[in-house]
Amino acid sequence: MSEFLAVHGLDMLTTILGLFYIWLEYRASIWLWLFGIVMPALDVILYWQHGLYGDAGMAVYYTIAGCYGFVVWRFTKTRHNQQPLPISRMPKTRYLPVLLYFFIAWGATYYVLVTWTNSTVPLLDSFTNALSFVGLWALARKYLEQWIFWIVVDVVCTILYIHKGIPFKALLYGLYVVIAVCGYFKWRRMCIGLAARAEVSRSL
């Protein structure tokens, strides 16, 4: 048992933290960012041990982004009535900049992995990293589309972690896929409800 925990203990711990994280994200609770800081800090060690250097670097970014996300959700207010930042759709004007940023980040991360590491999965590792950059930014801004980004990331990561021998993390990300689909529809209902209430308020 002790040998099993020595091999898989960190994997199991971060998986448990990840379950709390995704549940809080589904509920659009600000406390998701607490787990979004602690879990990736531990993931840095886990991924590095398994040769997922891109993911290890991404986990550092996740930790920093967790602090950013908390600040944005806690202190950013709407311009008109100073209410907390609402769930909304990503403006179409941001589609092209986001797409360009994704491809630049993908290419840059791929170059780093093939040049300075011995990663055996640089293409997929850099892909999930680049799309995660976009996903975290969209989550911090409470854009509905963040769920679509995470569905793609989670599917690829599930396959990647099975391949790299991290079974509990693979199981977690497989569950993430299901929850992300449910989260998309829940946030969409919330987004529609907020838009309807705003329309009623304007008409009064």
Side-chain angles (χ1 to χ4, degrees):
M1 183 64 179
S2 59
E3 183 177 340
F4 177 85
L5 290 176
V7 175
H8 297 292
L10 189 56
D11 185 11
M12 293 170 65
L13 175 59
T14 55
T15 297
I16 293 170
L17 294 175
L19 290 172
F20 281 104
Y21 174 87
I22 194 68
W23 178 68
L24 291 168
E25 182 181 359
Y26 176 79
R27 295 174 58 84
S29 168
I30 192 173
W31 296 111
L32 75 92
W33 296 111
L34 173 62
F35 291 88
I37 295 170
V38 176
M39 181 182 67
L42 296 174
D43 278 338
V44 174
I45 303 171
L46 176 66
Y47 293 143
W48 191 271
Q49 290 174 344
H50 287 81
L52 292 167
Y53 305 115
D55 277 358
M58 188 66 204
V60 174
Y61 170 76
Y62 276 170
T63 305
I64 298 171
C67 299
Y68 167 76
F70 177 81
V71 170
V72 171
W73 280 38
R74 177 65 180 83
F75 298 107
T76 301
K77 308 293 183 180
T78 56
R79 294 179 180 178
H80 302 294
N81 53 16
Q82 293 299 298
Q83 293 297 310
L85 191 68
I87 295 171
S88 63
R89 293 184 180 275
M90 187 170 69
K92 292 182 179 180
T93 55
R94 296 194 173 180
Y95 284 8
L96 183 57
V98 166
L99 186 63
L100 290 175
Y101 174 80
F102 164 70
F103 280 111
I104 291 171
W106 188 5
T109 307
Y110 177 80
Y111 176 79
V112 169
L113 291 178
V114 298
T115 304
W116 287 296
T117 77
N118 61 349
S119 173
T120 58
V121 285
L123 191 64
L124 289 181
D125 203 0
S126 56
F127 172 84
T128 56
N129 273 254
L131 194 54
S132 294
F133 282 129
V134 176
L136 268 178
W137 167 79
L139 172 58
R141 304 308 305 177
K142 284 192 177 180
Y143 290 142
L144 172 65
E145 289 78 6
Q146 62 100 5
W147 287 111
I148 297 175
F149 301 141
W150 290 124
I151 289 170
V152 177
V153 169
D154 295 341
V155 168
V156 176
C157 282
T158 300
I159 299 170
L160 192 59
Y161 296 153
I162 291 173
H163 173 70
K164 296 299 288 187
I166 313 178
F168 292 100
K169 188 67 75 174
L171 182 63
L172 173 66
Y173 274 77
L175 180 61
Y176 273 4
V177 175
V178 178
I179 297 177
V181 172
C182 296
Y184 172 82
F185 288 106
K186 178 179 175 65
W187 276 41
R188 189 175 71 170
R189 290 193 300 270
M190 295 170 69
C191 185
I192 293 172
L194 287 169
R197 286 195 292 272
E199 185 65 30
V200 171
S201 297
R202 284 194 294 268
S203 63
L204 294 177

